């Protein structure tokens, strides 16, 4: 390239001698000029060097004009990627895979405990698509909804860091292994787990090499934790569980044949007391409850006990409908960002069935009461005067939203929710009015409250 | 004619100068102001992603589109919903990285809590992209991580001198105190669980973080709160830190106890800078004591420096190639034996197992291909790739797999390992060590606080030269008083005696 610029001066063939003669004259005419030209050529060559390098770089494209990129993104990502592109031994993945990886890495950097990037690659083996293990009510095409893993007796939701345990079935496999709501299952491996290192088999490598694949890329990214958990093909699954970011422990869970099923709503009449058990608020829960309530017939009830223990929530649509059986008005307040006005979400009036808005209401909660179930408990206390019995709830005070971005689905924490009275539930969850531990004790306490408290019903409105 | 010559000379000089300037420009381009180079790029408009880059500037449908609640979302735009079965077309369309920018915009627009330092976002994106390469040895480390690893890179640090590991409760366990080092002198024993460091509870800390707490300046004191089996209460032990050098030769003795006083035994735990010298000393001492054949134990040796592997091989092999490095284009660079070995004539048996990796595999492969000795034990780990360290402008580091090793006869080490000449599998242990899931695909998971040259890439010889450590595959066989008999060693001794007899 640089030779182009010297071409004018370059003699070719026999003409060299005559052309050369002006040289001394030039020297006489202007050494300065010569110097300037020479220096200019050198600078030009340097610039060409820079341009050639820049043109050769493999950088990510500039962001759209309305996007401010993260600090030094172009520079650092460019440097890293350029080096990998020119030096990396293995096969280059498809550009889409690299972009997806960048999005996943970026989202992980947010440190959002509920975030998830669902890529098409992982989608092929997503939990939602494995039938049988998926609980009642969860929609199979939404990778982001909670999943009930029946053989292990636990509710999980997939996040970028692993599977977050939302609730566990009492006496289930997970419960007996000491896993609790709020734990994060960071790894899960099927099988006996005696061979922890994935040793490549020579035969497989041989074959890959013969197929023209390079031997560096292993091609066996671990499937998402949630997928392994929901996969029921092996009797045992080895899990590594992180609790409160302070302790890590490993357990071997043996899948139960008699799967613990998350019951749908259950309704039982006990004299004047109606007991309602809600195991989750997944799609369909409200309709099931309405049908059950309708079946009890229209009669005057003095007390209702609503059992929300180990209810991980589910859908906010269901929440609004279920709340409608018990109360009117605002159920929860959604707060996106500081600069946006809060949105109040009201209860939805139920079609038919007995009206429970007047009955004395006791709500039983525990550490597995999470998300929409917590919202329900808080709303019933504040807007309905219900009394809460049991243990502090899970404490999921944030709201997540799902977005489709190209081929990716991105779940992010986009705000917080507040109770009708404007209270945040921090990480601590909702403290019950009457603290009782142990399931039987909680049941007894709830019952004693209903009968004993019928006189003092209107005395305190709660929160 | 004189003018012609002079002109030619002038021309050549000018060409050289201009080429030099060009090269200088080319090389300095990476250090120029990014804003300037970005502008140049725009001018050049010849990016890797071509037209798609410009496409990314167009208003982004995806970002403005489906923005909905998890509970009620029903994406309808078929163009934005990818078919997982056919990602190719989508992939091409996305060459312009627009999905990334859409995601970033979504985050900045809607993220409910405070965004982390945006450099962290950049680091995350780099990490995520590297993961797409599917190579566990290609890694990014941000400036902080890089700083933490620096003592290891420099090959010297001060600490207490003990190998540590994590048990299945996530606790830090002393695997082996190093002989003659402060930890051993202070009475710390294999199996002790470290609860606190200088009074600070280390539960929940990563192994590396805990190790950093234990390390410190030479001469300073660190108090470890230990839990020991058989001792009901935790107790404190004070240790004065010292400069730790890891001897690579862990054991060098004659196998008299095993009934073979003419067979020497050298156990190499790592391939470090001093390994060849230590080997020479050990060989000399053993010879003086009457060694006629040698068992070289490379079991659970995770590797180390390439130079050390060449050095060790060169003790036994007189000439030829130790290993080939092969780059993506298939170009091979040979690493040859360094003359001056001291044990060309000693019959040799090399012990290997699934924990023998990297440099160990280079040595084993060379010994096998030169027909210099017998390999006894199990298939080796299969880590035969070379990482280069690339420094980014802000102090971050990138380790990228750039080459793979081949043994002298051309066979591949990576993901295959080296098969032993004589396969000897140890009987299953009555109580298998709890290695919950050591399979984090990062070489940094090697659980030792030692400078393990294994974990570094800087090789003075100027070659790409890193032989990084894999996970501690099958490692963790701490010496045990009532350990089962070492059947692999027994077999190795038989072989050594056979080789001696055959001479």
């Amino acid at each position: 390239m640089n030779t182009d610029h010297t071409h004018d001066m370059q003699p070719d063939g026999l003409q060299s001698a005559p052309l050369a003669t002006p040289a001394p004259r030039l020297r006489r005419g202007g050494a300065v000029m010569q110097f300037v030209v020479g220096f200019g050529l050198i600078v030009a060559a340097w610039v060409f060097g820079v341009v050639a390098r820049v043109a050769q770089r493999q950088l990510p494209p500039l962001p759209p004009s309305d996007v401010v990129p993260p600090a030094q993104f172009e520079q650092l990502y460019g440097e890293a990627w350029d080096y990998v592109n020119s030096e990396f031994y293995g096969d280059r993945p498809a550009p889409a895979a690299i972009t997806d990886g960048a999005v996943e890495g970026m989202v992980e950097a947010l440190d959002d405990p509920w975030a998830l990037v669902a890529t098409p690659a992982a989608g092929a083996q997503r939990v939602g698509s494995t039938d049988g293990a998926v609980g009642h009510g969860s929609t199979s095409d939404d990778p982001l909804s909670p999943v009930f893993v029946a053989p292990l007796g636990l509710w999980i939701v997939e996040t970028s860091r692993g599977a977050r345990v939302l609730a566990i079935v009492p006496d289930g496999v997970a419960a007996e292994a000491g896993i609790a709501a709020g734990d994060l299952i960071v790894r899960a491996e099927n099988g006996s787990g005696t061979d922890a290192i994935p040793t490549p088999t020579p035969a497989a490598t041989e074959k890959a090499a013969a197929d023209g694949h390079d031997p560096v890329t292993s091609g066996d990214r671990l499937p998402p934790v949630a997928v392994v958990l929901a996969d029921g093909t092996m009797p045992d699954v080895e899990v590594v569980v992180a609790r409160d970011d302070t302790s890590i422990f490993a357990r071997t869970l043996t899948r139960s044949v008699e799967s613990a099923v998350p019951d749908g709503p259950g309704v039982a009449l006990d004299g004047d007391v109606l007991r309602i058990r809600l195991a989750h608020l997944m799609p369909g829960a409200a309709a099931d409850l309405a049908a059950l309530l309708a079946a009890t017939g229209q009669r005057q009830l003095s007390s209702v006990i609503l059992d929300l223990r180990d209810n991980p929530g589910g859908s906010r649509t269901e929440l609004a409908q279920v709340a409608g059986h018990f109360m009117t008005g605002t159920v929860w307040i959604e707060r996106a960002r500081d600069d946006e006005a809060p949105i109040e979400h009201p209860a939805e009036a139920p079609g038919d069935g007995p009206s429970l808005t007047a009955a004395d209401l006791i709500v039983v909660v525990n550490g597995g009461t999470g998300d929409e179930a917590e919202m329900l408990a808080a709303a019933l206390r504040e807007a309905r005067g219900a009394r809460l019995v049991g243990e502090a709830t899970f404490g999921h005070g944030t709201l997540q939203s799902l977005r489709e971005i190209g081929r990716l689905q991105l779940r992010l924490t986009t705000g917080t929710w507040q109770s009708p009275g404007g209270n945040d539930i921090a990480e601590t969850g909702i403290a019950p009015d009457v603290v009782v531990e142990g399931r039987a004790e909680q049941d007894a306490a709830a019952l004693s409250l209903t009968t004993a408290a019928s006189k003092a019903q209107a005395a305190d409105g709660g929160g | 004619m004189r003018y012609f010559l002079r002109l030619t000379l002038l021309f050549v000089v000018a060409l050289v100068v201009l080429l030099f300037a060009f090269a200088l420009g080319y090389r300095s381009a990476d250090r120029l102001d990014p804003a300037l180079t970005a502008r140049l790029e725009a001018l050049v408009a010849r990016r890797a992603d071509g037209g798609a880059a410009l496409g990314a500037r167009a208003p982004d449908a995806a970002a403005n589109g489906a923005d909905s609640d998890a509970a009620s979302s029903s994406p309808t735009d078929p163009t934005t919903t990818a078919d997982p079965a056919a990602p190719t077309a989508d992939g091409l369309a996305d060459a312009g990285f627009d999905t990334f920018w859409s995601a970033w915009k979504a985050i900045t627009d809607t993220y409910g809590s405070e965004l982390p330092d945006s450099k962290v976002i950049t680091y995350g994106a780099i990490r995520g992209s590297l993961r797409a390469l599917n190579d566990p040895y290609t890694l990014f480390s941000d400036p902080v991580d890089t700083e933490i690893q620096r003592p290891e890179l420099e090959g010297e640090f001060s600490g207490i001198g003990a190998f540590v590991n994590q048990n299945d409760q996530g606790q830090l366990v002393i695997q082996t105190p190093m002989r003659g080092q402060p930890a051993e002198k202070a009475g710390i024993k294999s199996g002790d669980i470290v609860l606190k460091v200088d009074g600070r509870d280390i539960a929940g800390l990563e192994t590396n973080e805990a190790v950093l707490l234990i390390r410190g300046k030479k001469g300073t004191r660190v108090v470890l709160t230990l839990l020991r089996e058989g001792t009901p209460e935790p107790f404190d032990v004070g240790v004065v830190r010292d400069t730790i050098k890891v001897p690579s030769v862990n054991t060098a003795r004659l196998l008299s106890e095993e009934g073979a006083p003419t067979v020497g035994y050298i156990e190499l735990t790592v391939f470090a800078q001093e390994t060849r010298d230590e080997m020479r000393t050990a060989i000399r001492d053993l010879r003086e004591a009457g060694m006629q054949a040698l068992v070289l134990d490379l079991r659970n040796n995770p590797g180390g420096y390439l130079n050390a592997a060449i050095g060790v091989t060169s003790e036994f092999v007189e000439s030829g190639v130790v290993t080939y490095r092969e780059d993506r284009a298939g170009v091979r660079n040979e690493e040859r034996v360094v003359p001056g070995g001291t044990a060309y004539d000693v019959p040799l048996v090399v012990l290997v197992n699934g924990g023998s990796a990297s440099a160990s595999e280079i040595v084993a492969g060379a010994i096998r291909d030169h027909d210099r000795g017998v390999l006894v034990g199990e298939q080796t780990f299969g880590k035969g790739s070379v990482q280069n360290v690339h420094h980014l402008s802000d102090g971050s580091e990138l380790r990228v797999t750039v080459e793979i090793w081949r043994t002298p006869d051309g066979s591949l080490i990576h993901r295959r390992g080296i098969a032993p000449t004589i396969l000897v599998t140890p009987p299953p242990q009555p109580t298998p060590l709890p290695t919950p899931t050591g399979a984090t695909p990062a070489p940094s998971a090697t659980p030792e606080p030692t400078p393990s040259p294994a974990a570094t890439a800087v090789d003075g010889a100027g070659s790409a030269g890193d032989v990084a450590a894999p996970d501690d595959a099958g490692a963790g066989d701490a010496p045990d008083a009532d350990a089962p008999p070492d059947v692999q060693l027994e077999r190795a001794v038989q072989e050594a005696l056979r080789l001696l007899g055959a001479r």
Side-chain angles (χ1 to χ4, degrees):
Chain A
M1 205 185 279
N2 47 350
T3 51
D4 289 348
H5 297 264
T6 56
H7 192 264
D8 293 342
M9 293 163 60
Q10 186 190 7
D12 68 326
L14 293 171
Q15 287 179 330
S16 55
L19 268 174
T21 27
R25 242 179 282 143
L26 191 81
R27 191 188 297 154
R28 250 176 277 130
V32 177
M33 185 63 183
Q34 210 175 3
F35 180 77
V36 168
V37 169
F39 190 74
L41 281 174
I42 291 172
V43 171
W46 184 85
V47 170
F48 267 110
V50 172
V51 170
R53 172 76 188 108
V54 166
Q56 196 214 23
R57 268 196 209 168
Q58 314 262 313
L59 296 184
L62 299 172
S65 48
D66 58 338
V67 172
V68 181
Q72 294 192 35
F73 185 86
E74 294 261 286
Q75 161 112 8
L76 294 176
Y77 190 91
E79 282 176 24
W81 202 247
D82 184 34
Y83 186 77
V84 169
N85 245 322
S86 62
E87 303 294 332
F88 179 58
Y89 178 88
D91 286 340
R92 307 314 184 254
I98 294 165
T99 308
D100 292 353
V103 174
E104 285 178 300
M106 167 169 71
V107 169
E108 276 162 37
L110 292 178
D111 228 19
D112 175 350
W114 303 101
L116 174 70
V117 180
T119 61
Q125 35 168 239
R126 195 116 253 141
V127 269
S129 56
T130 58
D131 290 332
V134 175
H136 173 130
S138 59
T139 51
S140 63
D141 58 340
D142 181 0
L144 309 176
S145 61
V147 172
F148 182 71
V149 184
L152 299 176
L154 81 175
W155 284 96
I156 52 173
V157 66
E158 195 182 343
T159 74
S160 286
R161 298 180 192 169
R164 178 75 64 176
V165 178
L166 294 174
I168 52 167
V169 174
D171 311 325
V173 172
E176 266 158 28
I179 293 171
D183 287 350
L184 182 68
I185 302 179
V186 291
R187 286 181 60 88
E189 238 175 310
N190 269 322
S192 61
T194 46
D195 188 7
I197 307 291
T199 319
T201 60
T205 325
E206 209 91 42
K207 187 184 176 301
D211 294 349
H213 295 304
D214 74 276
V216 167
T217 51
S218 60
D220 44 14
R221 283 182 78 173
L222 293 172
V225 171
V227 173
V228 178
L229 291 173
D231 168 19
T233 51
M234 304 282 273
D236 285 359
V237 58
E238 303 243 316
V239 296
V240 177
V241 182
R243 179 169 295 170
D244 304 332
D245 292 334
T246 56
S247 69
I248 292 180
F249 56 95
R251 291 285 184 274
T252 302
L253 307 178
T254 305
R255 293 187 168 92
S256 153
V257 189
E258 319 148 19
S259 334
V261 179
D263 16 339
V267 173
L269 209 49
D270 182 1
D272 268 356
V273 179
L274 182 68
R275 293 172 175 278
I276 302 174
R277 159 90 188 125
L278 273 181
H280 59 78
L281 290 168
M282 299 296 159
D288 290 352
L289 176 65
L292 286 169
L293 288 177
T296 62
Q298 296 282 353
R299 53 176 291 179
Q300 206 56 42
L301 294 160
S302 70
S303 296
V304 175
I305 296 176
L306 176 60
D307 182 357
L308 294 180
R309 287 174 293 185
D310 298 315
N311 179 328
S315 143
R316 279 165 243 162
T317 316
E318 302 295 311
L319 165 62
Q321 288 170 8
V322 168
H325 288 289
F326 304 96
M327 60 178 279
T328 53
T330 300
V331 181
W332 82 97
I333 301 169
E334 182 180 341
R335 236 173 223 291
R337 314 203 337 159
D338 295 341
D339 49 350
E340 281 168 41
I343 306 162
E344 297 192 1
H345 294 270
E348 267 178 46
D352 44 356
S355 170
L356 304 173
T357 46
D360 181 27
L361 183 60
I362 309 294
V363 181
V364 191
V365 292
N366 69 0
T369 307
D371 221 331
E372 283 81 7
E374 285 176 284
M375 298 186 195
L376 181 59
L380 293 178
R381 168 152 77 179
E382 292 181 8
R384 171 69 165 67
R387 270 152 308 156
L388 268 48
V389 176
E391 297 153 87
T393 60
F394 187 87
H396 187 160
T398 54
L399 285 168
Q400 281 70 41
S401 306
L402 177 70
R403 264 180 186 238
E404 297 271 325
I405 294 176
R407 63 188 169 272
L408 304 178
Q409 288 176 297
L410 171 64
R411 177 180 58 205
L412 276 181
T413 295
T414 51
T416 55
W417 69 265
Q418 292 175 327
S419 62
N423 296 313
D424 274 318
I425 62 151
E427 296 298 305
T428 52
I430 302 166
D433 302 304
V434 183
V435 179
V436 183
E437 282 181 20
R439 296 186 78 84
E441 290 83 348
Q442 286 163 355
D443 287 335
L447 196 60
S448 72
L449 272 176
T450 50
T451 44
S454 50
K455 284 170 260 167
Q457 189 172 333
D460 63 82
Chain B
M1 204 57 199
R2 227 179 79 231
Y3 286 130
F4 178 75
L5 277 176
R6 191 189 289 176
L7 252 181
T8 310
L9 190 72
L10 188 76
F11 175 67
V12 167
V13 169
L15 201 68
V16 166
V17 169
L18 292 176
L19 270 175
F20 182 74
F22 178 84
L24 206 69
Y26 189 90
R27 298 207 57 174
S28 61
D30 290 343
R31 289 188 293 276
L32 287 181
D33 178 14
L36 175 73
T37 48
R39 214 169 303 148
L40 275 174
E41 260 158 42
L43 282 173
V44 176
R46 236 213 64 205
R47 301 182 139 219
D49 305 299
L54 300 170
R57 296 191 170 282
D60 190 343
N64 304 332
D67 172 16
S68 45
D69 185 293
S72 58
S73 120
S74 58
T76 46
D77 184 357
T79 60
T80 60
T81 325
D83 176 2
T88 354
D90 220 37
L92 288 175
D94 193 55
F97 216 59
D98 50 350
T99 304
F100 179 85
W101 293 121
S102 305
W104 172 238
K105 190 169 190 312
I107 289 170
T108 49
D109 286 352
T110 63
Y111 187 51
S113 3
E114 206 169 313
L115 283 173
D117 185 293
S118 62
K119 248 184 165 178
V120 173
I121 302 274
T122 301
Y123 297 149
I126 294 175
R127 283 200 180 97
S129 291
L130 291 183
R131 229 180 304 155
L133 298 176
N134 255 333
D135 172 25
Y137 303 103
T138 293
L139 296 167
F140 171 82
S141 78
D142 62 38
V144 176
D145 291 350
T146 305
E147 196 55 43
I148 288 172
Q149 289 156 12
R150 196 172 299 280
E152 296 185 0
L153 286 165
E154 285 163 2
E156 193 186 85
F157 69 102
S158 59
I160 64 166
F163 289 90
V164 295
N165 210 332
Q166 222 176 34
N167 67 9
D168 64 345
Q169 309 290 308
Q171 290 169 313
L172 194 72
V173 181
I174 303 285
Q175 194 184 324
T176 324
M178 288 158 60
R179 201 157 303 168
Q181 301 291 1
E184 194 196 52
K185 287 180 191 161
I188 292 175
K189 295 214 160 58
S190 181
D192 287 353
I193 293 169
V194 183
L195 298 177
K196 291 179 184 175
V197 177
D198 282 333
R200 181 176 163 189
D201 195 342
I202 59 165
L205 286 188
E206 297 282 320
T207 308
N208 283 342
E209 293 172 312
V211 162
L212 271 183
L213 290 178
I214 297 172
R215 283 188 199 169
K217 270 199 187 130
K218 181 182 173 175
T220 57
R221 192 161 174 272
V222 60
V223 176
L224 304 182
T225 306
L226 301 176
L227 189 64
R228 180 174 296 168
E229 216 177 304
T231 312
E233 291 292 307
F235 56 96
D236 286 357
V237 173
V239 188
V240 178
R241 299 177 177 110
D242 199 354
T243 303
I244 306 299
K245 261 169 62 179
V246 196
S248 357
V249 174
N250 191 37
T251 315
R253 61 185 177 95
L254 287 175
L255 295 170
S256 313
E257 291 167 28
E258 286 79 359
T262 54
V263 178
Y265 171 82
I266 295 180
E267 185 191 354
L268 271 188
T269 50
V270 72
F271 286 83
Q273 219 57 287
E274 318 267 310
T275 302
R276 189 176 188 182
D277 292 341
E278 288 181 41
M279 277 285 291
R280 277 166 183 270
T281 314
I283 290 171
R284 194 194 60 214
D285 293 350
L286 287 173
R287 275 204 149 149
E288 283 170 8
M291 171 183 78
Q292 288 172 36
L294 178 66
V295 174
L296 177 64
D297 192 349
L298 298 179
R299 287 176 297 175
N300 297 326
N301 180 325
Y305 287 103
L306 168 64
N307 270 0
I310 296 170
V312 169
T313 309
S314 302
E315 286 302 304
F316 305 104
V317 178
E318 195 160 0
S319 64
V321 170
V322 178
T323 183
Y324 292 101
R325 291 185 282 126
E326 183 178 292
D327 69 12
R328 182 169 174 74
V331 178
R332 286 189 189 182
N333 286 303
E334 53 184 36
E335 300 288 350
R336 300 190 69 87
V337 159
V338 180
T342 58
Y344 297 147
D345 56 339
V346 178
L348 180 67
V349 179
V350 180
L351 276 171
V352 289
N353 69 3
S356 308
S358 210
S360 298
E361 297 177 290
I362 290 175
V363 173
I367 299 291
R368 181 193 65 186
D369 288 1
H370 284 283
D371 209 10
R372 177 62 188 80
V374 178
L375 309 188
V376 173
E378 297 155 279
Q379 186 86 14
T380 62
F381 181 82
K383 195 285 183 183
S385 57
V386 189
Q387 282 72 45
N388 262 1
V389 172
H390 181 62
H391 300 270
L392 302 188
S393 53
D394 72 333
S396 309
E397 264 180 17
L398 205 58
R399 295 161 52 96
V400 178
T401 299
V402 294
E403 289 169 317
I404 53 159
W405 307 111
R406 282 183 189 277
T407 65
D409 75 3
S411 52
L412 198 63
I413 295 172
H414 205 66
R415 291 179 61 73
R416 291 185 191 192
I418 306 277
T421 327
I422 299 166
L423 179 72
V424 181
T425 316
Q429 296 205 325
T431 46
L433 278 156
T435 337
T437 37
T440 330
S444 58
T446 315
E448 53 220 51
T450 65
S452 85
T456 71
V458 190
D459 185 348
S463 64
D466 162 37
V467 194
D471 279 354
D472 63 329
D477 55 347
D480 200 353
D482 40 21
D486 187 344
V487 291
Q488 292 173 333
L489 179 58
E490 284 170 4
R491 188 60 205 269
V493 172
Q494 278 174 28
E495 279 307 303
L497 292 173
R498 191 186 59 79
L499 290 172
L500 270 180
R503 284 214 307 178

